[in-house]
Amino acid sequence: MDTDMVRDWNNKIPLPVKRILRRLDKAGFEAYIVGGCVRDMILGRTPHDWDITTDATPDQILAVFKGNQCFEVGKEHGTITVMMNGEPFEVTTYRIDGTYSDNRRPDSVEFTNNLIQDLQRRDFTMNAMAYRPEDGVGLVDPYNGTESLSSGVISCVGKPNNRFAEDGLRILRALRFAAQLGFAIEKDTADSVHKKKYLLDKISKERINAELTKILMSGHCGVPVLREYSDVIAQVIPEIGATIGFEQHNPYHEYDVWEHTLHSLDAVPHDADLYVRLAVLLHDVGKPIAFTMDGERGHFYGHPVISGELTHKILTNLKCSNEVITNVTQLVTFHDVVFTPTKASVKRLLNKLGAEQLRRLFIIRECDIKGQTSFAQKDRLDKVKEMREILDWIIEQEECFQLKDLAINGKDLLAIGIPEGKEIGRILNMCLAYVIDGTVDNTKENLMEIVQTTIIPLSKQTTINTKEG
C-alpha cells in the first residue's frame, strides 16, 4: 500500500474505532478492522459499520475496556460490544467456527490467535480482509479480496457449497452484493447459489426480508440479479414462480408476466421508496390465476384484486411491518384503476388514497406502462402526466377532497335537527360527493341548502319506500 492510500484510509477510520484499536494494541493484543468496512474503503465508499477483530479473548476484551460500558450478549461467540464515545462497536475474538446444524449459527466456536484462520470462516473473499493502521501492518488479504473487487466478481471463501451450507442466507447476500455493487457472481459460486437455494427455506423470514429489501433498494431495483436468479427469488416468494415464463397473449404485452415485471422495475425512479418498489415487484403476481383466453387474446379480469390479496399474504409471510403490508397491498390493488384526467376523478382517488399514496400510484402506473409494448406507451403516459398536474393544482388550491375540508361539519347538522349517529356521517359523505363531482361549491351556505332541499327529502323518501316495500 502506498503512503497516500494509507493516509486516506487512516483518515476514514472514526476516532472511536482508532481508540479501540490503540487500547488493544497497548495492552499487547492484535486488533484489526475487518469485513465490510475494509471492503467499502477499498471501493472508495464511506463505511457505515465498523467491526473489529482481535486475538484477545472475550474476558481479555472486557478487562481492556473495564472503564467503558460493555455488553456481553454475543460473548459465547466471541463478541463483546464496547461503547466508545457513546457509540457501540463490536469487538470479536479470532475464531474457528464449528458445524452449522441450523444453517444459521455455528454450534460451537473455538477461539484462536491466528487472524488467517478467522478470515477463512467468512463468506466472500471481498469480506475476508482486515486492516490494521498500527505498526505499518496495513492490509491483510489472504484470499485475494482486492482482486475480486477490482474485477467486479463475488466469490466465496473456499468451497461455495460449504459456505452456503453454513448459513443459507449467504445465498441472498451474494445476490444483494451483486445488486448493490453491480458485480457478477463467479461461476462456481453462482452454480452453488442455484443448487443450494432450498437452504433459504430454513432461514427466518425476517432475515430474508432484510436482504430482499436491500436488493430492491439498490440501483434499478436489482433487475439484472432478479432476472438471472429468478429461481432463487421464487424460492422465497413462491407466488412469483408462476409468473416466470407466463405468456400474456395480449397486444399490449410483448413480454411474459415476469419479464414485464422486470422491465417495470427497471423504470422505477432511483429515489422511489420501498412501497413503490415492492408494489411494482408484486403488481401482476395474480395474473396467472386471473388469466383467460378469448380466441387468441389473453385477458386478466380482476387481476389487481387477486394480486392485492396475494401481496398481503406474501408480505405477511415475510414478516413485513403492518405499515408496509397496508400501503403496498393498497397500491397493488389500485394499480390498474381507470385513470380519467378530470378534477372529480383525481379527487375521488385522493379521498381513497391520500396525496402521498396517489403520487406513488402515478409512479407505479408509469413503470407498468413502460414495461408494456412500445406502441401503447405514449398516450397512457400522457394521461398519467395530466393526472399528476391536476393533483398538483388541487393541492396548491387547497381544494376539498376529504371530510375535514368540508365547509360544514356534524355540529351544523345537529343544529338543524339531524339526530346524532350514523345519519350525520352519511349526510356529510353525500355532501363531500357533491363537492368532489362539482355539483355544489364547498361553502356553508350552498352545502346547507343542498342538505335541506335535496339530501334530507331524498332520505325521507327512501325511508318511506323502504317501509312500503
Side-chain angles (χ1 to χ4, degrees):
M1 296 179 63
D2 61 50
T3 304
D4 289 339
M5 183 178 291
V6 170
R7 185 182 300 112
D8 178 57
W9 284 21
N10 290 349
N11 287 338
K12 286 182 178 178
I13 300 174
L15 183 58
V17 175
K18 290 179 180 178
R19 287 178 174 169
I20 292 173
L21 295 173
R22 287 175 187 148
R23 288 265 289 273
L24 287 164
D25 183 68
K26 288 181 179 179
F29 299 106
E30 294 179 5
Y32 296 81
I33 56 172
V34 67
C37 57
V38 180
R39 176 197 69 229
D40 287 344
M41 287 201 303
I42 294 174
L43 291 171
R45 297 152 63 105
T46 301
H48 298 291
D49 296 311
W50 296 88
D51 292 325
I52 298 158
T53 189
T54 177
D55 61 347
T57 66
D59 286 333
Q60 289 170 331
I61 295 170
L62 289 169
V64 170
F65 296 98
K66 61 182 178 182
N68 298 74
Q69 185 180 15
C70 296
F71 299 96
E72 303 181 28
V73 175
K75 184 179 178 181
E76 64 183 89
H77 289 99
T79 299
I80 301 295
T81 300
V82 177
M83 297 298 296
M84 184 65 69
N85 290 22
E87 296 181 69
F89 297 93
E90 289 189 352
V91 182
T92 303
T93 305
Y94 301 161
R95 74 186 200 203
I96 301 169
D97 291 342
T99 57
Y100 287 72
S101 60
D102 65 353
N103 301 106
R104 171 65 179 98
R105 292 185 182 278
D107 298 331
S108 61
V109 299
E110 176 186 345
F111 300 140
T112 176
N113 59 5
N114 188 314
L115 172 63
I116 306 303
Q117 288 180 317
D118 180 84
L119 296 177
Q120 187 177 10
R121 69 182 176 83
R122 296 175 184 269
D123 52 7
F124 307 113
T125 58
M126 65 180 185
N127 294 332
M129 296 181 286
Y131 177 74
R132 182 180 181 184
E134 303 295 336
D135 300 333
V137 173
L139 182 68
V140 178
D141 181 18
Y143 302 105
N144 299 315
T146 51
E147 182 179 331
S148 292
L149 292 177
S150 62
S151 60
V153 174
I154 296 168
S155 302
C156 281
V157 175
K159 295 181 179 180
N161 287 348
N162 293 342
R163 294 290 80 79
F164 295 140
E166 290 166 350
D167 184 355
L169 190 69
R170 288 171 172 171
I171 292 170
L172 280 186
R173 279 171 57 82
L175 270 56
R176 186 248 293 183
F177 286 128
Q180 290 178 328
L181 302 175
F183 282 14
I185 300 178
E186 176 269 332
K187 184 182 182 305
D188 287 345
T189 302
D191 289 345
S192 185
V193 164
H194 291 295
K195 179 181 179 181
K196 295 291 186 179
K197 62 181 182 288
Y198 67 88
L199 292 171
L200 290 166
D201 295 344
K202 302 180 180 181
I203 304 302
S204 75
K205 301 302 182 182
E206 291 86 352
R207 297 180 76 211
I208 288 173
N209 180 14
E211 294 298 329
L212 279 176
T213 295
K214 291 173 184 177
I215 292 171
L216 286 175
M217 292 305 294
S218 63
H220 298 278
C221 301
V223 165
V225 168
L226 295 178
R227 178 177 284 115
E228 186 171 355
Y229 297 93
S230 57
D231 59 322
V232 179
I233 303 305
Q235 188 73 29
V236 295
I237 305 179
E239 293 81 358
I240 280 178
T243 71
I244 299 171
F246 195 99
E247 296 296 337
Q248 306 199 61
H249 302 283
N250 189 292
Y252 289 101
H253 289 283
E254 56 186 313
Y255 308 116
D256 65 51
V257 176
W258 177 238
E259 193 61 30
H260 158 71
T261 298
L262 295 176
H263 278 77
S264 299
L265 283 168
D266 200 34
V268 171
H270 73 278
D271 58 349
D273 62 21
L274 179 62
Y275 299 155
V276 168
R277 294 165 189 255
L278 281 169
V280 175
L281 174 70
L282 301 173
H283 76 283
D284 278 349
V285 74
K287 273 192 169 181
I289 296 175
F291 180 69
T292 58
M293 283 290 288
D294 178 10
E296 296 183 356
R297 179 166 179 165
H299 297 283
F300 301 94
Y301 300 121
H303 85 271
V305 172
I306 297 172
S307 295
E309 292 170 350
L310 290 176
T311 293
H312 190 280
K313 173 187 172 185
I314 290 165
L315 299 182
T316 300
N317 184 52
L318 288 173
K319 307 297 184 182
C320 293
S321 68
N322 289 334
E323 184 178 5
V324 168
I325 295 170
T326 299
N327 281 283
V328 177
T329 299
Q330 183 183 57
L331 290 168
V332 170
T333 303
F334 276 84
H335 84 268
D336 205 34
V337 69
V338 175
F339 270 15
T340 305
T342 64
K343 282 202 304 180
S345 176
V346 174
K347 283 184 177 182
R348 279 191 285 271
L349 286 172
L350 269 171
N351 180 254
K352 292 177 181 177
L353 303 176
E356 189 174 21
Q357 276 285 81
L358 185 52
R359 292 191 190 281
R360 291 186 181 114
L361 186 64
F362 289 158
I363 296 172
I364 293 162
R365 177 61 64 86
E366 286 173 331
C367 295
D368 191 9
I369 293 169
K370 290 176 181 178
Q372 298 172 6
T373 308
S374 57
F375 80 81
Q377 291 185 16
K378 186 179 185 310
D379 290 343
R380 294 183 173 193
L381 290 173
D382 286 345
K383 190 174 289 186
V384 179
K385 181 180 178 183
E386 289 182 64
M387 297 280 282
R388 185 177 280 116
E389 289 171 351
I390 294 170
L391 169 62
D392 291 339
W393 185 89
I394 290 171
I395 299 299
E396 182 181 336
Q397 298 297 317
E398 299 182 347
E399 290 266 309
C400 174
F401 60 84
Q402 51 193 342
L403 284 175
K404 73 180 185 66
D405 297 328
L406 272 180
I408 64 172
N409 56 37
K411 291 182 180 179
D412 297 312
L413 299 181
L414 288 171
I416 61 170
I418 305 298
E420 190 171 354
K422 292 182 179 179
E423 185 68 5
I424 295 284
R426 192 186 69 81
I427 292 175
L428 289 176
N429 276 297
M430 289 185 69
C431 287
L432 179 61
Y434 282 128
V435 171
I436 287 176
D437 288 340
T439 304
V440 62
D441 291 335
N442 186 34
T443 66
K444 183 173 182 178
E445 179 182 0
N446 288 337
L447 289 172
M448 292 304 292
E449 180 180 354
I450 202 167
V451 166
Q452 294 175 306
T453 62
T454 302
I455 296 177
I456 292 176
L458 183 62
S459 297
K460 289 180 179 178
Q461 186 62 44
T462 301
T463 300
I464 292 171
N465 292 340
T466 301
K467 289 180 178 178
E468 290 178 350

